[in-house]
Amino acid sequence: MNNLITRAIALLEKIPHSLIAFIARFSIAAVFWKSGQTKVEGLAIDLIDGTFQFGWPRLADSTIALFKSEYHVPLLSPDVAAHLAAFAEHFFPVLILVGFATRFSALALLGMTLTIQLFVYPDAYPTHGTWAAVLLYLMTTGPGKLSIDHLIARHFSR
């Protein structure tokens, strides 16, 4: 029995980091991208359901009102917070998805996650803990071989 468990663990340890990192990148990018999409009009891209509406993005009418009523963050006006959140939820997921500046983009989204957890939805710690775990994984291990970061590192290691 002990030998069977040891072999099973050895098999699980062969799961490539690059596969885990790619799934982590895709998944966490989708979470933040989809949230960002709820805040804007004029640009709608969803690779899974095939939605493609290209245009100049602008904040949805309801977004600033939401930041005034529900998404209270300290030190920022609702207008500034709404614009920053909409930008961050589009910019950093794209970087993470392609694997460019992955560790720093994950750090930025971890900061956003902590802000949401502390000031907006303190009871949502199971969800935010999952996001934090994925982001910390990417920060500590990097994006894997299927990334621009890996190509850049290979180029400069020559």
Side-chain angles (χ1 to χ4, degrees):
M1 183 63 153
N2 194 20
N3 191 25
L4 180 62
I5 293 171
T6 303
R7 288 187 6 222
I9 290 171
L11 185 62
L12 293 172
E13 288 174 342
K14 291 184 182 197
I15 299 172
H17 157 67
S18 290
L19 175 62
I20 299 166
F22 180 76
I23 293 169
R25 286 177 19 226
F26 181 86
S27 299
I28 201 68
V31 166
F32 282 92
W33 178 269
K34 285 183 138 324
S35 178
Q37 289 282 273
T38 67
K39 293 174 179 69
V40 298
E41 296 172 342
L43 173 71
I45 301 172
D46 189 323
L47 299 175
I48 303 303
D49 73 10
T51 301
F52 297 99
Q53 175 194 354
F54 296 103
W56 193 252
R58 65 191 176 287
L59 281 184
D61 293 336
S62 60
T63 301
I64 293 177
L66 192 58
F67 275 79
K68 286 180 182 176
S69 65
E70 190 173 340
Y71 296 171
H72 301 284
V73 293
L75 307 176
L76 295 175
S77 72
D79 185 60
V80 170
H83 281 89
L84 285 176
F87 174 79
E89 288 178 331
H90 286 90
F91 182 69
F92 295 117
V94 169
L95 292 181
I96 285 175
L97 186 62
V98 299
F100 182 68
T102 305
R103 293 173 196 255
F104 301 107
S105 297
L107 177 62
L109 292 180
L110 180 61
M112 188 172 192
T113 299
L114 292 174
T115 301
I116 295 166
Q117 174 58 40
L118 294 173
F119 301 109
V120 182
Y121 294 126
D123 292 338
Y125 57 87
T127 299
H128 299 146
T130 303
W131 298 353
V134 171
L135 293 165
L136 286 166
Y137 177 82
L138 292 172
M139 289 166 54
T140 58
T141 64
K145 292 180 181 177
L146 302 172
S147 67
I148 294 173
D149 288 345
H150 179 74
L151 293 174
I152 291 170
R154 273 189 36 207
H155 175 75
F156 283 107
S157 69
R158 292 180 189 169

